[in-house]
Amino acid sequence: DTTTVVFAVMTVCAIFIILLSCVIYKCRADPKAYLSDRYDSDVDSRSNYRDDTISEEDQLMIPVDDEDTIASLKQQISQVGLANVRYIEIASVEKEFRLKDGMNPREYVAGDIITFRDIAIGFVDGVPDKMNEKTKLSKRATVIYTFCEQMKWESIAELSQIIDVIVYICKIVIRLRYNKKKSAHNAKMRDEKSVEFKNDLSPIAEWVWQAKMNETQLTAKDFANEFSLWIQEIATSQ
């Protein structure tokens, strides 16, 4: 009936007025705390939104004008590449033997692998970093430059050339460091002509070409000099 309807409307209005009074009282009692709570809530919401929607890949796509920042990013990329190339398998150990000297003396057992970092260490240990008066390069750089001359390369601008240099260094280190005696067969290098081995060496060549050469052609002498430094970087990296 009419009385019941009127009573219900009045009850609802009374509840609304009470709730509104409570809100007004809270705002008057501590308006800063009220606004702060609302602000913190909004900030957290926006922060969560950003974290959920901006991935690492998206952040790398943000335009960067700062030269220092660009240089820092290039350094990070170079370090990632270095970490990826150090442990590429170059050879396998055929029988137990021990290396007693050098940067990384250790005992090898059959089945161990020899990585590119092991090769780099062997090259740095085996070839002294002294100046060659004839070439005006360090002895390490001279080894590389002599190979380039044998290949009749005046400049280096192809990944295939870099891979050939890597294979050459691997061969001489395996022979002179791991198989010093002619009768020794301590380590066996992977088949240098196999497509699989060349594919595994590609990341090293790409790291050299992109991170170190900046995709720019170098003369054979400049390449030899720089490569001797890059291989030392691999040898001393942890």
Side-chain angles (χ1 to χ4, degrees), residues 6 16 19 127 183:
V6 171
F16 176 78
L19 293 175
V127 184
S183 59

Side-chain angles (χ1 to χ4, degrees), residues 72-236:
S72 177
L73 287 174
K74 286 183 177 180
Q75 179 65 20
Q76 291 177 30
I77 293 171
S78 176
Q79 290 172 350
V80 170
L82 176 60
N84 289 336
V85 305
R86 287 180 301 181
Y87 300 113
I88 291 174
E89 180 181 351
I90 302 299
S92 58
V93 175
E94 298 283 286
K95 61 182 181 179
E96 183 176 332
F97 69 99
R98 178 189 293 273
L99 292 178
K100 298 180 179 180
D101 54 5
M103 293 173 56
N104 188 30
R106 57 171 290 193
E107 183 175 340
Y108 289 88
V109 297
D112 283 350
I113 66 170
I114 295 171
T115 67
F116 187 60
R117 181 170 182 264
D118 294 325
I119 296 296
I121 291 173
F123 186 74
V124 171
D125 280 342
V127 184
D129 190 25
K130 296 180 180 180
M131 184 63 66
N132 183 308
E133 295 299 328
K134 182 178 180 180
T135 62
K136 301 302 179 183
L137 295 169
S138 71
K139 290 191 175 182
R140 293 173 190 164
T142 299
V143 171
I144 300 167
Y145 181 57
T146 300
F147 175 74
C148 293
E149 285 188 316
Q150 292 173 354
M151 300 297 290
K152 301 186 184 306
W153 295 337
E154 295 183 358
S155 61
I156 308 297
E158 302 290 339
L159 289 177
S160 59
Q161 292 175 295
I162 301 173
I163 289 176
D164 285 345
V165 172
I166 294 168
V167 169
Y168 174 72
I169 292 175
C170 291
K171 288 171 66 175
I172 62 175
V173 171
I174 293 294
R175 178 165 53 87
L176 298 178
R177 180 175 175 84
Y178 294 99
N179 299 326
K180 287 184 178 181
K181 298 180 180 179
K182 290 184 178 181
S183 59
H185 299 285
N186 297 325
K188 181 179 180 180
M189 183 171 157
R190 295 170 63 184
D191 182 2
E192 64 180 281
K193 297 180 180 179
S194 74
V195 175
E196 183 181 2
F197 186 39
K198 292 291 181 69
N199 288 339
D200 286 349
L201 294 180
S202 293
I204 306 175
E206 289 169 0
W207 174 73
V208 170
W209 173 247
Q210 295 172 3
K212 296 303 181 181
M213 296 175 66
N214 294 318
E215 301 184 9
T216 303
Q217 175 178 291
L218 292 178
T219 65
K221 180 169 284 190
D222 286 342
F223 174 82
N225 188 53
E226 294 297 328
F227 196 92
S228 67
L229 301 177
W230 301 330
I231 200 166
Q232 183 173 347
E233 181 181 347
I234 294 172
T236 56

